[in-house]
């Protein structure tokens, strides 16, 4: 059943089980975010899957909170340089997933639209801006290489998201968590 986009903005009240699940997903996201391939300017990882899963199950507000915590804790754990712009990007990406996925059917158009918005606005524009500010690199020189990365990576992310979020295992797990 198709829900309206305003249904995505409801705030899900958490049970103890939900807090435990969110903690486990946060931990899984921290691990998956460390499994990145590429250079400091062009990276590909699998943390987006956990963010999308949290957004699908718990909505935009909880996914935003977990994304912010994950970005800050992940930076601390790796000893990386913290830049608040990337926390903003993580929050925005989680919010977009939450708006498009929470209480909605996960269809090809939904996944494609959400991932394209994230690819263009968050990954290409905002993250390039943050890297430009951090490393004093020319924006337009950097955006061209990052755009190439997004053209290659985005279709892969779309396919992964569609099949993971529609997998029988994920749907069964969701149903079990919500019948307790």
């Amino acid at each position: 059943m198709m829900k309206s986009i305003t249904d995505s903005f409801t705030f899900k009240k958490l049970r103890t089980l939900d807090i435990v699940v969110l903690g486990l997903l946060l931990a899984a996201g921290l691990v998956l975010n460390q499994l990145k391939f590429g250079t400091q300017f062009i990276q590909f990882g699998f943390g987006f899957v956990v963010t999308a899963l949290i957004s699908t199950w718990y909505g935009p507000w909880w996914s935003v909170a977990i994304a912010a915590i994950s970005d800050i804790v992940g930076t601390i754990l790796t000893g990386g340089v913290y830049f608040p712009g990337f926390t903003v990007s993580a929050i925005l990406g989680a919010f977009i997933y939450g708006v498009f996925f929470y209480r909605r059917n996960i269809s090809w158009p939904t996944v494609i639209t959400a991932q394209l918005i994230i690819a263009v606005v968050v990954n290409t524009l905002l993250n390039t801006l943050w890297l430009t500010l951090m490393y004093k690199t020319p924006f337009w020189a950097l955006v061209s290489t990052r755009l190439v990365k997004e053209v290659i990576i985005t279709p892969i992310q779309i396919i992964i998201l569609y099949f993971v979020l529609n997998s029988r295992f994920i749907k069964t797990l969701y149903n079990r968590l919500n019948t307790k």
Side-chain angles (χ1 to χ4, degrees):
M1 180 167 128
M2 188 62 149
K3 305 279 184 169
S4 99
I5 199 151
T6 57
D7 289 337
S8 296
F9 293 103
T10 60
F11 194 78
K12 179 178 175 136
K13 184 177 178 187
L14 296 182
R15 305 165 295 165
T16 304
L17 177 63
D18 296 321
I19 294 168
V20 170
V21 170
L22 283 170
L24 290 170
L25 288 171
L26 172 62
L30 287 169
V31 170
L32 285 175
N33 279 330
Q34 300 313 306
L35 303 174
K36 291 184 181 177
F37 309 96
T39 67
Q40 76 182 47
F41 292 107
I42 301 175
Q43 295 182 350
F44 177 75
F46 295 97
F48 72 97
V49 175
V50 175
T51 302
L53 188 59
I54 292 169
S55 299
T56 303
W57 287 358
Y58 294 99
W61 307 118
W62 289 115
S63 63
V64 159
I66 298 299
I69 293 167
S70 179
D71 183 71
I72 294 166
V73 171
T75 303
I76 291 169
L77 289 176
T78 60
V81 176
Y82 177 73
F83 186 77
F86 291 114
T87 304
V88 171
S89 291
I91 287 169
L92 186 56
F95 184 77
I96 292 167
Y97 282 145
V99 168
F100 278 89
F101 297 161
Y102 184 56
R103 295 187 175 169
R104 300 191 67 196
N105 292 330
I106 307 299
S107 64
W108 282 110
T110 304
V111 174
I112 290 168
T113 304
Q115 196 59 47
L116 284 176
I117 292 169
I118 291 170
V120 172
V121 175
V122 178
N123 298 345
T124 303
L125 296 176
L126 283 179
N127 287 349
T128 303
L129 176 62
W130 309 144
L131 289 169
T132 298
L133 294 173
M134 282 180 71
Y135 298 110
K136 311 284 190 264
T137 57
F139 180 85
W140 292 110
L142 191 54
V143 81
S144 61
T145 57
R146 293 183 55 79
L147 190 56
V148 169
K149 175 237 178 194
E150 289 304 320
V151 166
I152 295 166
I153 298 303
T154 300
I156 296 167
Q157 290 176 319
I158 289 168
I159 292 166
I160 290 170
L161 282 179
Y162 180 81
F163 285 110
V164 167
L165 296 178
N166 281 301
S167 74
R168 179 172 290 159
F169 174 75
I170 294 298
K171 289 184 179 211
T172 301
L173 190 55
Y174 177 76
N175 289 334
R176 283 182 142 177
L177 289 171
N178 286 301
T179 57
K180 301 279 180 198

